[in-house]
Amino acid sequence: MSCMQKLDVPANSPEPKWTRRCLNCKNRVHNCCPSCRYDLGNIRCLALERFAESLELPCKYHSLGCHEILPYYSKLKHEQHCQFRPYNCPYAGSDCSITGDIPTLIAHLKDDHKVDMHDGCTFNHRYVKLNPHEVENATWMLTVFKCFGKQFCLHFEAFQMGMAPVYMAFLRFMGDDSEAKKFSYCLEVGANGRKLTWQGIPRSIRDSHRKVRDSQDGLVVQRNLALYFSGGDRQELKLRVTGRIWKEA
């Protein structure tokens, strides 16, 4: 019996499961058999399908530490969520395409983006802008902190929220979400007897900078209040953001 079977699929029927499995390969060989060069047509190879189902392959991130051996048809889904897959560069001030593991990204941030690196679980940063009425969708500052043997990215920036200009500070964890949830942090800004505080869980750098920012998951300060905290004639922004990171018991 031939292993090649012609398919008679009604036009209005749901897509057969095999088409999702074979479509990518057929497209790659331009619907032409790579051995004999004959047109494949609307056929399937049952023997090869059964053979593919029996295959178990290593994750493509094996060299990065993943030791999973997976059935052929579940390998792609695993790789989309594998904890060993490379991270994207967390620097938001440019469209950086660099990916890698955490040590690679730390070196990249330090050498290529000139990011400040600090040891310790507390921070005290002063942000100054001569003309606070110029609000741009760009990162003002990214600082990396190392504590508890992990790295955290502190973002501070100005952007438009609707028609209102705001300033926002938030923390991201350089690792996966399951690890990020083991930590908490707080941020505080204020002056003249008033203050704003924020407490939360750092987001993993698996979540993009824009996703975290747009969710407002951090300390958000309206411009009028930020200028009030700055004192003086309100013609210059001077904000001091303090905070700390701790590990949950």
Side-chain angles (χ1 to χ4, degrees):
M1 179 181 296
S2 172
C3 67
M4 307 295 284
Q5 293 188 359
K6 185 174 179 9
L7 295 181
D8 295 316
V9 181
N12 60 350
S13 66
E15 182 188 52
K17 290 183 179 180
W18 74 270
T19 62
R20 294 192 294 273
R21 298 174 177 178
C22 299
L23 184 59
N24 289 338
C25 289
K26 290 183 68 178
N27 288 339
R28 282 201 296 270
V29 298
H30 305 291
N31 204 37
C32 181
C33 175
S35 297
C36 66
R37 312 310 299 173
Y38 275 95
D39 183 42
L40 290 173
N42 190 24
I43 58 175
R44 61 191 284 199
C45 181
L46 298 179
L48 286 180
E49 284 183 36
R50 284 192 288 269
F51 175 71
E53 288 174 349
S54 69
L55 284 178
E56 290 191 340
L57 302 170
C59 171
K60 71 177 181 180
Y61 302 121
H62 176 79
S63 63
L64 297 178
C66 183
H67 300 300
E68 291 284 343
I69 304 296
L70 304 144
Y72 178 79
Y73 290 123
S74 61
K75 179 174 177 286
L76 181 60
K77 183 177 180 181
H78 162 83
E79 290 170 349
Q80 290 174 341
H81 303 282
C82 178
Q83 64 174 324
F84 293 96
R85 70 191 188 278
Y87 296 91
N88 294 323
C89 172
Y91 192 82
S94 63
D95 294 327
C96 185
S97 60
I98 296 296
T99 62
D101 59 13
I102 299 304
T104 298
L105 291 184
I106 292 296
H108 164 67
L109 289 171
K110 182 178 180 180
D111 298 337
D112 298 330
H113 294 300
K114 310 303 180 185
V115 170
D116 289 335
M117 303 283 174
H118 296 274
D119 290 328
C121 299
T122 61
F123 36 89
N124 186 334
H125 282 278
R126 189 166 180 261
Y127 301 97
V128 178
K129 186 172 178 63
L130 296 179
N131 185 358
H133 297 284
E134 294 179 357
V135 178
E136 302 171 352
N137 286 307
T139 295
W140 282 21
M141 185 174 290
L142 171 65
T143 307
V144 174
F145 292 89
K146 181 179 180 181
C147 64
F148 302 108
K150 305 294 183 179
Q151 283 81 20
F152 301 81
C153 296
L154 175 64
H155 296 264
F156 183 85
E157 65 179 83
F159 65 99
Q160 293 284 152
M161 186 182 294
M163 298 298 293
V166 299
Y167 306 100
M168 183 174 177
F170 57 92
L171 201 70
R172 288 201 290 166
F173 175 74
M174 296 192 71
D176 278 355
D177 186 61
S178 58
E179 284 290 310
K181 291 177 178 177
K182 298 177 182 179
F183 300 91
S184 294
Y185 75 102
C186 64
L187 297 171
E188 181 178 302
V189 61
N192 300 320
R194 295 165 176 82
K195 65 181 179 181
L196 286 177
T197 60
W198 165 267
Q199 181 173 320
I201 298 171
R203 296 279 284 273
S204 165
I205 59 172
R206 294 289 189 201
D207 288 339
S208 71
H209 158 269
R210 181 175 293 275
K211 180 179 180 180
V212 180
R213 190 197 73 181
D214 291 350
S215 69
Q216 301 176 41
D217 193 2
L219 178 66
V220 179
V221 187
Q222 300 292 330
R223 183 170 66 184
N224 285 340
L225 186 55
L227 292 176
Y228 181 79
F229 288 155
S230 299
D233 56 6
R234 301 194 178 195
Q235 297 304 307
E236 184 178 32
L237 180 73
K238 297 178 181 178
L239 283 181
R240 184 176 297 279
V241 177
T242 62
R244 68 182 182 94
I245 305 165
W246 65 92
K247 193 171 185 179
E248 295 293 347

